[in-house]
């Protein structure tokens, strides 16, 4: 295919999807830091089964909560599905102020996954990102030069595998493709939340718990182990590990928090740089002053 046509497709696809791509890339950059922050867990001794069950009985005496989530950076716990205050795990009291970092991560996740409620726009923009990269590949190897265009092309080619992995795994998540076998059968009826906490605490450190909640017919736990966010399901035989969802682990950077989180930060920075430089190259080309062509109505220079 003609490189001129490919270049036009590359530029116009970027221009049309520029705004949603900016939102996805910037929120992705924020979320890239989440595994690095949250995998550190709570301070040792801050929570155990007895203390957590006590907090559940205090703030949800009717046992109506469908789950809990823990924000390790702010040392706070939220009960899901009930009208209860955010709990300060250091004091056991209702949190006096919201955790700004936790709120920022929550906002970034909702925006990244739903983009103002338009899920189709997230999927369409992610597909557009893959198309932009594929067109760049079809245009062939770049000539590296110390210019804006040279840096744009060089950054794209040297990080290409990581750049492609990000939107492709995002599409796998959007369409529910896990690349895993069937999960273990869930326990029916499901355990009450307080009892699930005690079962989990038998073999796992609650200081690294991220979430414990009912998901459909299944009670599940998300907990960091050696930097990886593992999923567990409560079954008739006890707590069973869920098959690894590699598209999600790779996309979220949760397969090895420090390494994968850092790689995701790099990918987000490169993507932001490529989008900005690409738009600058497009704008510079459009705004470039073109030479005025002489017309028949304009007398030639030196004509009497």
């Amino acid at each position: 295919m003609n490189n001129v046509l490919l270049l036009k497709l590359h530029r116009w696809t970027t221009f049309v999807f520029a705004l949603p791509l900016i939102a996805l890339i910037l929120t992705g950059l924020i979320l890239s830091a989440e595994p690095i922050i949250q995998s550190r867990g709570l301070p040792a001794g801050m929570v155990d089964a007895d203390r957590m069950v006590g907090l559940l009985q205090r703030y949800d005496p009717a046992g109506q909560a469908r789950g809990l989530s823990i924000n390790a950076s702010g040392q706070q716990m939220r009960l899901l599905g009930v009208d209860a205050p955010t709990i300060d795990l250091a004091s056991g009291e209702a949190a006096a102020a919201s955790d700004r970092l936790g709120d920022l991560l929550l906002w970034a996740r909702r925006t990244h996954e739903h983009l103002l409620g338009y899920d189709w726009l997230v999927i369409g923009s992610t597909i557009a990102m893959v198309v932009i990269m594929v067109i760049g590949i079809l245009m062939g190897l770049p000539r590296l030069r110390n210019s804006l265009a040279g840096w744009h092309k060089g950054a794209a080619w040297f990080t290409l595998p990581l750049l492609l992995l990000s939107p492709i795994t995002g599409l796998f998540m959007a369409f529910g493709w896990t690349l895993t076998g069937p999960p273990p059968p869930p326990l029916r009826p499901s355990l009450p939340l307080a009892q699930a906490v005690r079962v989990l605490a038998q073999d796992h450190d609650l200081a690294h718990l991220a979430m414990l909640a009912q998901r459909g017919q299944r009670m599940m736990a998300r907990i960091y182990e050696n930097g990886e966010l593992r999923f567990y399901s409560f079954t008739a035989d006890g707590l069973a590990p869920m098959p690894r969802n590699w598209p999600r682990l790779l996309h979220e950077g949760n397969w090895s928090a420090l390494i994968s989180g850092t790689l995701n930060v790099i990918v987000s920075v490169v993507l932001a740089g490529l989008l900005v430089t690409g738009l600058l190259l497009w704008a510079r080309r459009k705004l470039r002053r073109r030479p005025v062509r002489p017309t028949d109505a304009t007398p030639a220079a030196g004509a009497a």
Side-chain angles (χ1 to χ4, degrees), residues 141-186:
L141 292 171
R143 294 180 181 179
L144 300 181
R145 297 175 180 175
N146 189 18
S147 62
L148 186 63
W151 280 99
H152 178 88
K153 296 173 183 177
W157 275 95
F158 281 115
T159 57
L160 184 60
L162 292 175
L163 297 184
L164 279 171
L165 189 64
S166 180
I168 289 175
T169 52
L171 289 174
F172 271 64
M173 290 173 59
F175 294 124
W177 301 336
T178 64
L179 304 181
T180 63

Side-chain angles (χ1 to χ4, degrees), residues 86-211:
T86 301
I87 304 168
D88 183 347
L89 290 173
S91 65
E93 303 297 328
S98 62
D99 174 39
R100 293 182 179 180
L101 178 57
D103 291 342
L104 175 64
L105 291 172
L106 182 60
W107 168 83
R109 181 166 300 281
R110 289 173 176 170
T111 304
H112 191 79
E113 294 179 351
H114 304 293
L115 207 56
L116 302 178
Y118 298 107
D119 291 7
W120 61 266
L121 186 57
V122 177
I123 296 174
S125 301
T126 306
I127 293 173
M129 187 183 295
V130 176
V131 171
I132 291 168
M133 294 179 187
V134 171
I135 293 174
I137 295 172
L138 293 176
M139 287 191 295
L141 292 171
R143 294 180 181 179
L144 300 181
R145 297 175 180 175
N146 189 18
S147 62
L148 186 63
W151 280 99
H152 178 88
K153 296 173 183 177
W157 275 95
F158 281 115
T159 57
L160 184 60
L162 292 175
L163 297 184
L164 279 171
L165 189 64
S166 180
I168 289 175
T169 52
L171 289 174
F172 271 64
M173 290 173 59
F175 294 124
W177 301 336
T178 64
L179 304 181
T180 63
L187 178 63
R188 292 191 179 93
S190 186
L191 289 176
L193 187 59
Q195 189 175 348
V197 168
R198 293 196 181 278
V199 171
L200 181 65
Q202 291 176 3
D203 298 308
H204 300 275
D205 186 358
L206 297 181
H208 294 281
L209 177 64
M211 181 176 288

Side-chain angles (χ1 to χ4, degrees), residues 6-15 21 25 129 131-137 139-160 163 267 269-284:
L6 287 173
L7 183 57
K8 287 183 178 180
L9 288 173
H10 185 81
R11 286 172 173 168
W12 277 104
T13 305
T14 303
F15 180 73
L21 285 177
I25 291 170
M129 187 183 295
V131 171
I132 291 168
M133 294 179 187
V134 171
I135 293 174
I137 295 172
M139 287 191 295
L141 292 171
R143 294 180 181 179
L144 300 181
R145 297 175 180 175
N146 189 18
S147 62
L148 186 63
W151 280 99
H152 178 88
K153 296 173 183 177
W157 275 95
F158 281 115
T159 57
L160 184 60
L163 297 184
V267 168
V269 170
V270 172
L271 285 173
L274 290 174
L275 183 59
V276 171
T277 54
L279 292 174
L280 287 175
L281 288 168
W282 182 88
R284 190 169 66 179

